[in-house]
Amino acid sequence: MSDWKTQQMIKASGWPLAPELLSTPGADFNARLDGGLVPLHWACREGKAGLVKHMIEHGADVLDVAESDGRAPLAMAVGSGSFQTVMLVMDRLKALGAPPPDEAMRRWLNNAFSKAHADAKNRLVQTLKDWDRLARKKPA
């Protein structure tokens, strides 16, 4: 994506700071900015799937926990109610070999999306099954 298109996407997302902070090559999406605002955390919390996808593709760390409240990007994404954002974060966590969600997170995920379209519910269930399978295969 060109810098101009990236800046337009960032502006449209409602990002509260200058879009140049996120659209320049080598932008650090996990950098602690003034006031503790972290770009990846903000995008997850706000359910900005396009921006989360861009950040993940450019090195954002989905394992980075917010200093302010100890929440991880997955929890922020679930709280946003954006299924697409949740799946982007889950797919990246799964690819990194992170441990699957604990039972409390699974209940929260299921409750958050229990009334979603059947395809979304099925994708969530399948992603969790795949993640569990990969975790069992992982050498200790």
Side-chain angles (χ1 to χ4, degrees):
M1 187 179 300
S2 73
D3 285 343
W4 181 84
K5 285 183 180 178
T6 303
Q7 284 186 18
Q8 294 307 307
M9 175 187 66
I10 293 165
K11 283 180 184 177
S13 75
W15 169 247
L17 302 175
E20 298 78 31
L21 291 173
L22 301 182
S23 62
T24 57
D28 183 357
F29 302 118
N30 299 299
R32 307 283 185 236
L33 304 173
D34 290 342
L37 187 62
V38 179
L40 177 64
H41 295 160
W42 177 86
C44 287
R45 186 187 75 216
E46 297 297 316
K48 305 295 185 178
L51 199 49
V52 169
K53 182 176 189 272
H54 172 74
M55 290 178 179
I56 289 172
E57 288 173 347
H58 291 89
D61 182 5
V62 294
L63 297 169
D64 186 335
V65 175
E67 290 178 351
S68 59
D69 61 8
R71 290 179 42 193
L74 181 56
M76 293 176 190
V78 175
S80 78
S82 169
F83 182 76
Q84 200 173 11
T85 303
V86 168
M87 293 310 300
L88 287 164
V89 174
M90 285 178 61
D91 287 344
R92 183 65 183 144
L93 287 167
K94 186 172 71 168
L96 291 172
D102 62 17
E103 285 306 311
M105 176 58 79
R106 287 171 188 263
R107 280 192 302 276
W108 191 20
L109 283 162
N110 286 319
N111 288 338
F113 301 107
S114 64
K115 292 179 175 50
H117 188 277
D119 290 345
K121 289 188 288 189
N122 291 340
R123 180 161 183 231
L124 177 63
V125 168
Q126 190 59 51
T127 297
L128 291 169
K129 283 181 184 178
D130 290 346
W131 201 346
D132 289 338
R133 181 183 48 79
L134 290 170
R136 284 191 302 272
K137 284 185 173 182
K138 190 176 176 181

